[in-house]
Amino acid sequence: MYSALIPLLYALAGGIAGAIEITIDYPTEYTKTVMQLYPEMNKKGFIGLVVDTVKEKGFLTLYRGYSSLLFFTIPKNFVRFGTFTFCKQNLLTSDSRLNTMTCGMIAGAVEAAFVVTPMETLKVKLIHDKFMAKSQYRNLFHGIHTIIKKEGFGGCYKGFLATLLKQSSNQGIRFLVYEDAKKYTHHYIPFKFLADMVAGGFAGLCSVLANNPIDVVKTNMQGLEANKFNGFLGCFAYIWKREGLRGFYKGVSPRIARVVLDVSLTFSLWAFVQRVFFWIQDTVGSKKKQRHLNQTLLRKLFP
C-alpha cells in the first residue's frame, strides 16, 4: 500500500523544492544562458550582466524562460528520483560506488530523453528570442506551438546528444558525491536536513565543474542560431576555435550559484521524504504487530 506512494512522494518533494529553488534563483539561470550564447555578454561578467539587464530592460527580463523550467519541475524530479530508486532496488542492488554512479547516470539519461531536452530547448529559445530584433514567442505555450509548427516535434529535441551527456554525467556525479559526502556531513553536523543540504550543495558544485563544457555546447545547439553548427562535435570545434578553453566555462559562476541551491534543496528534501516514509512504515508496522499480539493474547485468555 505505502510502497506505491514512494514515487508520488518523491515527485511532490522534488516538485516543491524545484519550484522554490527556480523562483529564487532563476535570474542566475537566465544570466548563465545569455553568457553562453553571447561571448560579448560573457565579458561583462555575472554581476555586470545582471546590472545592465535590469537597467536596460527591467527586472522581469531576468525571468524570461522561467515558465518552461517551472512547468517541467515535477515530472523532471519524478523521473530522476523514481528511476534512480528503481535501479537501486531492482537492477544494481549491491551497495557500491560504481553502482550508485551508474544508477545516477541511467536516471539522468531517462530524464534527458523524456523531460529535460524539451524543457531546455524551450528555455534557451525563449531567452534567445528576447535578443532578436523581432520576437517570435509570446509565452511558453505559444513557443511550443510555434516550434512544432515550424520544425515538427523534433524541434523540441534540439541538442539531444549534448543534453543526454550533460544529464547523465550530472546525475551520476551528483548521486555518487552526495552519497559519499553525506557520510562525512552527518558525522560533523547534528541536524540531518542541514547535513543533507551541505552534501547536496557540494555534489552540485562538483557536477558543474566537471561538465560545464557540455552545458555550453548544449545551450548553443538549442539556440535560435543552432543551424550554423554541424552537430555536437561541430559545435564543440566552433567554440574551441573561436574562444579556446575559456569558451567552455562561460556562465560557470551563475550556474554554480543555481545548481548548488538546486541540488542541496532537492536532495535534502528527497532524503527527508524517505525518512518520513520509513517512520510511517515502522509506526504502522509496530501497530499491526502490537494488534496481532493483543489478538493472540485475547484468544489465549478467552479461547
Side-chain angles (χ1 to χ4, degrees):
M1 174 184 172
Y2 292 100
S3 58
L5 294 175
I6 294 178
L8 295 175
L9 290 171
Y10 288 167
L12 180 61
I16 292 171
I20 294 170
E21 171 269 322
I22 289 169
T23 303
I24 293 171
D25 68 2
Y26 184 79
T28 63
E29 180 69 17
Y30 172 88
T31 308
K32 178 217 75 171
T33 304
V34 172
M35 291 172 76
Q36 291 178 345
L37 287 171
Y38 297 100
E40 64 275 17
M41 297 290 187
N42 186 54
K43 292 175 183 177
K44 293 182 178 182
F46 175 33
I47 302 298
L49 180 56
V50 170
V51 171
D52 284 355
T53 301
V54 173
K55 190 183 294 183
E56 294 172 13
K57 300 180 180 180
F59 178 76
L60 290 180
T61 300
L62 295 173
Y63 279 84
R64 180 71 171 176
Y66 162 76
S67 54
S68 63
L69 263 66
L70 185 63
F71 183 75
F72 286 102
T73 291
I74 290 180
K76 179 182 74 172
N77 284 289
F78 179 89
V79 171
R80 175 185 302 169
F81 291 112
T83 303
F84 178 80
T85 304
F86 176 82
C87 290
K88 286 286 283 183
Q89 292 179 349
N90 299 280
L91 301 179
L92 301 169
T93 54
S94 60
D95 190 17
S96 72
R97 298 175 80 246
L98 178 61
N99 282 353
T100 298
M101 186 170 187
T102 304
C103 289
M105 292 180 71
I106 294 171
V110 173
E111 74 175 17
F114 290 99
V115 184
V116 178
T117 303
M119 176 188 80
E120 287 289 316
T121 300
L122 289 164
K123 178 206 73 180
V124 173
K125 287 185 183 298
L126 286 170
I127 292 174
H128 205 173
D129 181 60
K130 194 71 177 177
F131 290 84
M132 299 292 105
K134 187 178 180 182
S135 181
Q136 299 180 54
Y137 313 125
R138 293 194 296 270
N139 51 51
L140 170 65
F141 297 105
H142 181 255
I144 295 172
H145 173 76
T146 306
I147 292 167
I148 293 177
K149 187 176 179 181
K150 286 185 176 180
E151 306 174 48
F153 187 71
C156 294
Y157 273 81
K158 295 293 184 182
F160 173 68
L161 176 60
T163 307
L164 182 70
L165 292 173
K166 176 195 167 188
Q167 292 307 117
S168 57
S169 59
N170 262 350
Q171 305 315 325
I173 293 167
R174 289 173 189 175
F175 278 105
L176 173 63
V177 174
Y178 170 76
E179 292 292 336
D180 280 353
K182 75 176 184 179
K183 295 173 186 174
Y184 295 96
T185 58
H186 279 233
H187 182 71
Y188 292 104
I189 302 174
F191 305 105
K192 288 184 179 180
F193 192 83
L194 181 59
D196 289 332
M197 284 191 72
V198 173
F202 181 64
L205 173 64
C206 291
S207 69
V208 171
L209 296 177
N211 72 3
N212 204 73
I214 299 174
D215 188 50
V216 173
V217 173
K218 176 202 72 67
T219 298
N220 280 272
M221 291 186 68
Q222 291 173 332
L224 297 177
E225 298 175 353
N227 291 332
K228 67 183 180 183
F229 305 120
N230 185 22
F232 177 80
L233 293 177
C235 183
F236 189 94
Y238 181 93
I239 296 169
W240 176 265
K241 185 177 179 181
R242 283 159 180 77
E243 301 173 66
L245 182 62
R246 291 182 63 182
F248 292 106
Y249 279 87
K250 292 181 294 187
V252 70
S253 52
R255 186 176 175 225
I256 286 174
R258 177 180 177 252
V259 169
V260 166
L261 182 58
D262 172 13
V263 182
S264 66
L265 274 174
T266 51
F267 274 65
S268 57
L269 203 49
W270 176 58
F272 175 75
V273 168
Q274 288 185 84
R275 288 194 293 271
V276 170
F277 169 75
F278 289 130
W279 176 81
I280 293 171
Q281 199 173 40
D282 290 342
T283 303
V284 172
S286 8
K287 284 183 179 179
K288 281 183 178 177
K289 188 176 180 182
Q290 187 61 49
R291 194 158 51 242
H292 176 71
L293 289 172
N294 291 341
Q295 288 172 350
T296 304
L297 182 60
L298 285 170
R299 280 197 297 269
K300 286 184 178 180
L301 290 173
F302 306 101

